[in-house]
Structure formats: C-alpha cells, structure tokens
Amino acid sequence: MATETLPLFVNDNSLGYNALGNSGLFVSKLCLGTMTFGGDKDIWGLIGNLQQEQADELMKIALEAGINFIDTANIYGVGASERIVGQSLKNLGVRREDVVLATKVLGPMGDGPNARGASRGHIMSECKASLARLQTDYIDLYQIHGFDPATPIEETLEALNTLVQQGHVRYVGLSNWAAWQVMKAIGITRARNLCPIISLQAYYTLVGRDLERDIVPMLESENVGLMVWSPLAGGYLSGKYEGPDVSEENRRAKFDFPPVNRERGRDVIKVMREIADGKQIDGEPVTVAQIALAWLLHQNVVTSIIVGAKRPEQLKANIRAAQIRLSGDELNALDEVSRLPEEYPGWMMKMMAGYRDTAKE
C-alpha cells in the first residue's frame, strides 16, 4: 500500500517514494519497465527490441528523473532484458545500492518440463542465472511471475525463503495471482515463519478495474504493495485507438493485449480527452495517456506504476504525468464512466454493511 511520501534521499524530483508493502524498502512511484529491452524475432520483438545503447539512454532518463525502481523478468527476451539492464547500470556507473532491482521467474527458459514453473529447482537455478545476467550478487525484489498449478505453494514459498536466507534475494513478491492465492500464500508464510510477501504486480487501468472486486480489499487488509503493469492497457489508453485520429499501426495491432472492452473504453477515453483539454505540463499539452497515469497515481492502493517506453520522448512524457493533480470533480467523472458493474457478493455485502451504519447512529 502507498504511504506518505518521505523527503527524497538524493534527488529533488516530483516523483516521491512509497514503502513497498509492509517493508522498509522505498521505491519511486514510477518504476522503469524493461519488457521493451532485447526482443528478437519472437513475441518479445513485437513489444520492443531495444538494444544496449538505446536502453542506456532510457535508463539514464529514468534515473535522472528520480526513478530508483527497475523491473524486468528472466523471460523478457529470454534473458536479454536482464543482461541489458545489468550492463546498463555498469555503463552508467550506477551504485548498486542506489537502485531497487526487481525481476521475475516462472516462464519457460528451456524445452524441458522442469525449465519452467515455480518449483524449487526452477526457482533456485533461475535466480542464479538472473544474478549472473544482472551482474549483481543480490536481487532486491524477486517475484513469482504467475501462479503455477503444478507446484504446491508451500514448495514455492520455501524456495523463496531459502534464497532470502542465502542473501541472494532481499524481498519477495507475486505477480498475476488471484486474491485467494495471495491470501493462502500469506497464511503459509505466517504459519511457517517464512519471509513475507510484500508486493503483488498486477494489471490495473481505467479500462481494467477488475482487481477492485477482491484483490484491492485484500491488499489493503494485509498491507501488500501494488505494482501496476501495463498502465496504458497495452497502448489503448494513449487514445490512438478511439477518436478522429485512430491508428492501428502500433503495438496493439500486432499484439492485442491486455483485452479491453472497447465499447466501454470509448466512453472512458472521451472523458479523459475532456479532462486533458486545456491542461499543460512544462508548456506541453497534457495527453490522454498522462491522464491515465495520473489517475493511477491518485489511487491509494497503488505503490508504483511500471512505465515502459521505446523512445526517450515517450518515457519523458510518462514521467511528466507525475506532476498532474486531478481535482475531486475530475476523479469523480473518471470513476463514474469507468466503474465496474456491480456483482455478487459485492452488492450484498454493501447492503448488509448498512446494518452497522445504522447501529452507529
């Protein structure tokens, strides 16, 4: 969960830092995502194929803006993203203690049945490989990239705890797990006195508010931090897909992910355009994409937003979104147009909670 912003430790910037979940680890409110690094003629190439020099430029922009949080995964570019990130930190002369490095494990890194998943063997071997690619002796945040139905949760959590005890990993998190799965994991760590789960990386946007049904209440209850991936819904919230200047010559034309209900999305983007109209940052007009990021930064449950880019100007525009302050009326308008339809048991719980409201009178 987000906490009050502390005074900045080194740089004077507009981003600020939040504690990541129930920990003493402070991360910038924007996190540099590196899924665009190192792609080839595969699915990762459709997302991005930035090489070392281009990645160095983006890393430099992010670090100079005050971003201290960098997220990657072993599967991105099948190891290429981690290698580029590690080399970039060396090229830029960054002190290891000045950045928070996060990476993930789960996806297939080979052809065999044991070269994937969240088994003890795969986690231990892949952590070693990630450390080598990143050119570091510890990972700040090691995350399980998704739920592995073939491996007992206990085995996964015990393996993560071993890595923490060995000093190879400092904190552990999850990604793309359901609320009941995260809660089960939390219960196991408490019962067995294992290292705690401090974060969840999940999808959350104005056109994808599904996690508000169960995941957000769980995160708030258990003080687990939220890292948001794909905050622009795979580019949909750039506004390029709706309106008079629609263009399909972009990433979603080839890689339509994450799924978006475009009928509802049109109405959301219309309101976003109205809010952006007339606003400026540093003399530049505010974009629909920046409104999407600003809305997330106004959500108390959000700890850090993962922003990626292919071009320097994209990253700079994303960073400027941290300066946008939305009014109460603007937030209400965005909430109204993007609100989830009510489902059971949510509407029943709200009604039954009214008994307590009456009791307080």
Side-chain angles (χ1 to χ4, degrees):
M1 288 177 60
T3 65
E4 292 295 319
T5 301
L6 293 183
L8 303 182
F9 301 124
V10 180
N11 300 310
D12 181 17
N13 64 73
S14 61
L15 292 181
Y17 301 94
N18 287 323
L20 187 57
N22 189 25
S23 80
L25 180 66
F26 282 80
V27 298
S28 48
K29 293 180 181 180
L30 295 182
C31 170
L32 179 64
T34 62
M35 194 162 59
T36 57
F37 293 6
D40 199 357
K41 295 178 181 178
D42 51 20
I43 187 174
W44 307 111
L46 295 177
I47 297 168
N49 59 357
L50 302 185
Q51 300 307 306
Q52 194 66 58
E53 185 176 350
Q54 298 163 302
D56 286 357
E57 185 175 7
L58 294 183
M59 291 274 283
K60 186 173 186 291
I61 290 169
L63 293 167
E64 288 181 346
I67 291 175
N68 75 337
F69 199 12
I70 302 165
D71 180 73
T72 184
N74 64 346
I75 194 68
Y76 296 165
V78 196
S81 177
E82 287 183 328
R83 282 192 293 271
I84 290 172
V85 167
Q87 188 59 46
S88 187
L89 293 175
K90 298 291 183 182
N91 292 348
L92 297 173
V94 178
R95 295 191 310 169
R96 177 64 183 86
E97 59 269 30
D98 286 341
V99 294
V100 177
L101 277 181
T103 191
K104 302 181 283 292
V105 60
L106 183 83
M109 295 297 288
D111 295 330
N114 292 313
R116 65 199 64 212
S119 68
R120 181 178 184 86
H122 188 59
I123 288 172
M124 302 298 285
S125 62
E126 282 305 312
C127 181
K128 182 178 179 180
S130 289
L131 288 168
R133 287 189 288 262
L134 290 165
Q135 300 184 54
T136 184
D137 57 2
Y138 70 93
I139 295 165
D140 293 285
L141 179 66
Y142 200 44
Q143 305 156 97
I144 304 299
H145 209 162
F147 186 75
D148 180 3
T151 301
I153 296 179
E154 292 84 351
E155 178 179 338
T156 299
L157 298 175
E158 290 279 2
L160 292 173
N161 192 66
T162 298
L163 290 172
V164 172
Q165 290 178 329
Q166 292 175 343
H168 299 314
V169 168
R170 296 193 169 175
Y171 297 93
V172 300
L174 305 172
S175 179
N176 302 315
W177 283 39
W180 71 266
Q181 293 166 340
V182 176
M183 198 63 240
K184 183 174 181 178
I186 290 173
I188 292 169
T189 61
R190 291 172 180 169
R192 299 193 177 195
N193 198 28
L194 305 176
C195 57
I197 305 297
I198 70 164
S199 65
L200 176 71
Q201 191 173 141
Y203 170 63
Y204 187 31
T205 70
L206 274 164
V207 289
R209 294 175 60 179
D210 309 69
L211 83 172
E212 292 179 2
R213 298 198 189 281
D214 296 307
I215 293 177
V216 166
M218 179 274 299
L219 296 177
E220 292 176 333
S221 169
E222 304 307 315
N223 197 10
V224 174
L226 174 62
M227 298 165 61
V228 176
W229 61 260
S230 198
L232 299 182
Y236 180 80
L237 289 176
S238 66
K240 293 183 292 187
Y241 302 89
E242 306 293 349
D245 301 317
V246 172
S247 170
E248 292 296 341
E249 294 301 318
N250 41 51
R251 197 191 92 184
R252 282 196 73 99
K254 299 177 181 178
F255 186 57
D256 194 14
F257 181 85
V260 171
N261 182 329
R262 295 185 64 161
E263 184 175 347
R264 296 188 68 211
R266 292 187 190 97
D267 293 334
V268 174
I269 288 179
K270 180 181 178 183
V271 173
M272 294 170 72
R273 289 190 195 281
E274 292 170 354
I275 291 173
D277 186 40
K279 290 184 185 293
Q280 288 190 342
I281 306 174
D282 299 331
E284 297 287 333
V286 167
T287 66
V288 170
Q290 288 170 329
I291 295 297
L293 296 175
W295 178 82
L296 283 169
L297 288 168
H298 281 72
Q299 306 309 303
N300 290 332
V301 72
V302 174
T303 306
S304 189
I305 303 169
I306 301 171
V307 293
K310 291 183 181 180
R311 302 185 305 275
E313 57 268 26
Q314 282 182 320
L315 181 57
K316 291 176 181 178
N318 289 341
I319 292 171
R320 285 197 297 271
Q323 301 176 42
I324 298 174
R325 297 294 176 265
L326 299 174
S327 69
D329 288 344
E330 289 169 336
L331 288 169
N332 288 337
L334 291 170
D335 178 64
E336 181 66 29
V337 73
S338 65
R339 186 178 301 156
L340 293 171
E342 288 195 328
E343 289 185 355
Y344 180 85
W347 53 261
M348 190 65 177
M349 292 170 66
K350 185 186 299 184
M351 187 180 76
M352 301 301 278
Y355 296 151
R356 283 297 183 186
D357 293 338
T358 304
K360 293 177 183 178
E361 294 178 357

